[in-house]
Amino acid sequence: MTSFSTQPARRLRAHALVLSRGVAALVLGTLLPATARAQDAALPATDVAPQQTASESLTDDIVVNGRRQRTALNEEQAAIATIDIVTTGDVAIHSQTSIADLAKMLPGVSVSRDQGRNQSATGEAQFVTIRGFDTSYNAYTLDGLRLPQTSGNNRAISLNLFSPFAIGSIVTDKTPGAAKDADSIAGIVDLRTPTAFDFAQSFTRARVLGQVAGLALDREQEAFGGAIGLDAARRFGSDGQFGVYVAGYLEERGNAAESTAVQSDYQTTQFDVGTARDNPNALSGNGVQWNFYNNKIRRYGATGAFDYRSDAIDLFARVNYATYLNTNTMNQTGLRNETTAGQSSGNPLRTLRAGGTTRAYNAAGIYTPQGVSPASYFRTEDVEQELFSAQVGAKAHWNGFTAALEGAYADGRFDQPTRIEAAFRGIAYNGAPGNTGAATEGVVVDLSNARSPRPVLSPGATSYVASLDRPTQLYVQRGYDYLSEIKKTLKGSIGWTDNGMVSVEVGGLYEDADRDGRSLAPDNTRYRFRTPLQGGTVDGPSINQYLGYVLKDFLDYYPARPIKVLSRAQLDAQVRDFVPLIPVSQTTLNQGLLDGNETRKALYGTATLTFGALEVMPGIRYEDNGFRARYFLSDADGPRFVNAGRDYDHLDPSLLAAWKPNGNLTVRGAVRSSYARPAFDLLAGPTRITRDAARGNAITAISQPNPDLKPVQAWSYDAGVDFQMGVGRYVQLAAYYKDLSNFIVTTATRTAGETIDGITYTRPINGGGGTAKGVEASGRFTIGDMAGGSFLGNFGVGGNVTYQKTEANYVIPLNGVRQTRTSTLPQAPDLIYNAEVFYAGGGFRTNLWYNYTGKFLAAVQDSQPDVYVQPAGELNFGAAYEVTDNLEIGVSARNLLDQHSYWATVGKSERYISNDRNGGYLKTGRVFQFSLTMKM
């Protein structure tokens, strides 16, 4: 089999080598005692940490050198826009080592995963979204730099890469003005790396932690892991005008997950009553399956920041490197409804309205499956992600004028170098003597327990499917996916301020992104073993003939067919021995190739007008987009590479206002226009044309992306109140409304075909409109000074809640006819909340934090009910104790209540669990952590 080039991966590793050498040199310099003493001596006296009361330490954000500051809250209060900030570096009391999971603490932030790649099984969130909007409606930045988009068919950025050891805070801007990216309907998620100017003193710190995954430990799988992070900050110069911050980290951990689901689409319980969607309360399960997952996760990276600040000019440089590796394996046991060779159905043959036939209904018209086929399946979804970014910039200011210029380079890749699939299938049990002839039994699925579908089997069927000596292996295959993007950015601005009463700013941006993609579906490399169902030259082994471990326990119900965790090494050896025997044509390889370029240019103008306590910021932004792509066209009239491209622009005005009558009250409002660019893969990619030779080779069908997709457009209206009631006591309230048009309906609909002039098109299309209206509240209350410094004064509570109602019109082509359906926006929960109880005093601090995300729409389907993700909650605990001035120990636990991580259903109710590709019901268990934080 032809392999793909590893040159882009080597390119990134070269970046990493340069960065690691630079960081190593900087770390060495910061650790030298003499240098540290000289730098500390040079710090201005104002940088010495003041004494704090207990209530102040409760409310301040943890900063890595041990001093607590209220900088995040002060920034939120000072902004004209509605922003929320969470600091992420406190690993002592947070067992989350994923940035996305920490982002859940912010008001209105929810998370999601790429379930098609088993990402729910990692126990970590992958994507974040503001106020429940689809992840592609956010703009994602790292220190203001737009990140490469390597997530495939949407513009979401996977945050798996990033670690709290290198990211200091997460900022969500829910009402960005004209000076920021306009393709941000939901808002902007900015990850900020620390700088030396974020800290009051120079410091060097080491953080070490150990983790154990409870479910993996219970199942006798690899359960332990840990991490180490080193960082240091130095300020030097006569006025402390120079600053250097460096950090490096390595994390490795193992975890396990288990899930259950139905095998495939639901069938109507009654015969000839239309589609399953037409009968959402009278459905029968079609087979059942159980999955066990192993993940071995590795993160490592480094970051560096250099800053120079003076009255005349500020200079900065940032460099980041991050890698995420996940070796992901899934072992599946299933019972399928099917008859195999030498068997027939015992049901009468009935004709459906659509003209097809089915053998699944008995004479009374009741769904009665026939055949019990035991099956096992193995799949890997290994993932490699890598990012290198570098930024340099300067800002000059004199006599009220400012000028800023910044350049950036970012190189990212998403790689699945090895996607292995192996299936084990054989003769089905049909209840007849010798398992031949007409079937008398099938897999009836008991759905009385909504989270645990269970087969109803006869003793004979139970005995048959319990043996791991049958069936034998049917095939093994291997594919790959690769996507990389290099993004280069240049932006600048000029501004003027008149004594703080009036300020104006104009600026622009040029962004250029080169994309390279390659893929090969595993089905194209399928090696077939000799089994009772097919011919071949090598006998397929049975599950019992593999090395591995048979699980002794599973969820709340042990499967009728045991689950064996197979030896990955044996399957890797199979791939090496057999997959190369399958020829893959150049045409097939070409089908998975894609390269393209995308540019974005922007101009903006904005002003800030101050009228006493009122600040008003009008602005307007123009963005011009263009893309060019080269991809493969599969056509009976001659396969070939073709070129596609398109240009489109958008003009977005905005108006932000903030009224601050005193130091305690802020009232905000915002009206703005924004848009969301269609994902690159929805605009250009592999295309297939089907022709009819009998009609002069006329085109009958085209399956393609859609280069004519319009961007989603939105008007957003926001209002909010921020009220400070004293040290550690505040309340924030907000309301919002969004009006969307040109909503994009992607191929989540399984047969999205429409016929135009005799040609059936399968492609994403622009649908109707959508709206979202919601309210949001957050607050924090510390007893603090109200208790006069007593023990009770060290307690506090905090939390936030977002409640919203969304609506969207989906245009669904079904059977050649466009239908309009009204539902909710995808990925948009109706309710999100966090609640926290905390304590800090006498060198001890602790918190108990509960996060809840309500139900949301995951996928729109055509003839089946839509897929929904049911509510999920998570209770977390952390405690830390300062043993000495330079040593802190911490313990924490995640998911104390052992709640499910993911639960997808067909339809809104809990009644029908989804099939496995949509997630089913999945648990990842608890995680326990111990940490040491050492300051030097």
Side-chain angles (χ1 to χ4, degrees), residues 378-414:
F378 177 93
R379 185 172 86 230
T380 69
E381 294 287 356
D382 296 352
V383 168
E384 297 181 5
Q385 292 176 256
E386 199 170 15
L387 173 71
F388 173 84
S389 67
Q391 302 166 260
V392 293
K395 184 175 183 179
H397 25 84
W398 71 101
N399 295 329
F401 287 93
T402 61
L405 185 64
E406 178 181 342
Y409 171 92
D411 191 346
R413 73 176 176 98
F414 178 95

Side-chain angles (χ1 to χ4, degrees), residues 658-853:
W659 180 56
K660 303 176 181 179
N662 53 57
N664 296 327
L665 177 65
T666 303
V667 181
R668 295 184 178 85
V671 179
R672 66 186 184 100
S673 169
S674 57
Y675 74 108
R677 293 182 287 171
F680 195 89
D681 289 6
L682 299 180
L683 296 168
T687 297
R688 180 177 296 277
I689 294 179
T690 303
R691 297 176 182 268
D692 186 353
R695 293 195 294 138
N697 221 24
I699 297 176
T700 59
I702 299 177
S703 176
Q704 62 174 172
N706 188 352
D708 296 323
L709 277 177
K710 300 174 184 178
V712 183
Q713 301 180 97
W715 276 95
S716 300
Y717 308 88
D718 292 77
V721 176
D722 184 337
F723 185 62
Q724 305 292 319
M725 298 176 291
V727 176
R729 294 179 285 276
Y730 66 86
V731 173
Q732 297 169 331
L733 303 172
Y736 58 92
Y737 179 83
K738 293 182 185 292
D739 189 2
L740 292 83
S741 58
N742 295 331
F743 193 77
I744 295 177
V745 181
T746 68
T747 50
T749 53
R750 294 169 298 118
T751 56
E754 58 179 337
T755 301
I756 302 175
D757 297 330
I759 300 174
T760 300
Y761 292 85
T762 302
R763 61 187 179 183
I765 60 175
N766 285 106
T771 60
K773 49 190 175 184
V775 292
E776 203 164 74
S778 62
R780 191 173 177 90
F781 181 86
T782 58
I783 298 175
D785 302 329
M786 298 175 64
S790 67
F791 174 80
L792 289 176
N794 295 318
F795 282 96
V797 295
N800 54 69
V801 60
T802 299
Y803 176 76
Q804 66 179 358
K805 299 288 287 184
T806 68
E807 183 176 286
N809 296 321
Y810 295 85
V811 179
I812 308 294
L814 183 61
N815 299 324
V817 179
R818 285 197 175 198
Q819 301 178 1
T820 300
R821 298 178 186 157
T822 300
S823 186
T824 59
L825 287 167
Q827 308 296 327
D830 51 357
L831 178 65
I832 308 168
Y833 69 80
N834 292 281
E836 182 183 15
V837 179
F838 52 89
Y839 173 91
F844 177 75
R845 56 196 175 93
T846 184
N847 76 337
L848 189 66
W849 162 43
Y850 186 77
N851 171 263
Y852 175 91
T853 301

Side-chain angles (χ1 to χ4, degrees), residues 11-96:
R11 177 187 69 223
L12 277 167
R13 293 189 186 103
H15 295 325
L17 180 61
V18 172
L19 176 60
S20 63
R21 289 173 176 170
V23 169
L26 286 170
V27 170
L28 180 62
T30 57
L31 291 175
L32 291 175
T35 306
R37 286 194 295 269
Q39 291 167 340
D40 287 340
L43 285 176
T46 55
D47 284 330
V48 177
Q51 292 294 110
Q52 293 185 303
T53 66
S55 61
E56 287 177 326
S57 67
L58 278 169
T59 60
D60 294 342
D61 300 317
I62 302 294
V63 179
V64 294
N65 62 349
R67 183 174 181 261
R68 295 173 168 88
Q69 301 174 336
R70 282 189 294 253
T71 53
L73 186 59
N74 291 340
E75 183 178 347
E76 291 179 14
Q77 192 176 5
I80 296 180
T82 301
I83 65 172
D84 295 297
I85 305 173
V86 61
T87 53
T88 62
D90 188 11
V91 297
I93 60 173
H94 289 136
S95 58
Q96 291 83 358

Side-chain angles (χ1 to χ4, degrees), residues 93 96 133 257 308 339 397 424 456 550 628 645 828 844 883 890:
I93 60 173
Q96 291 83 358
F133 273 72
Y308 169 79
T339 53
H397 25 84
F424 299 76
V456 179
V550 178
R628 303 292 181 268
F844 177 75
V883 181

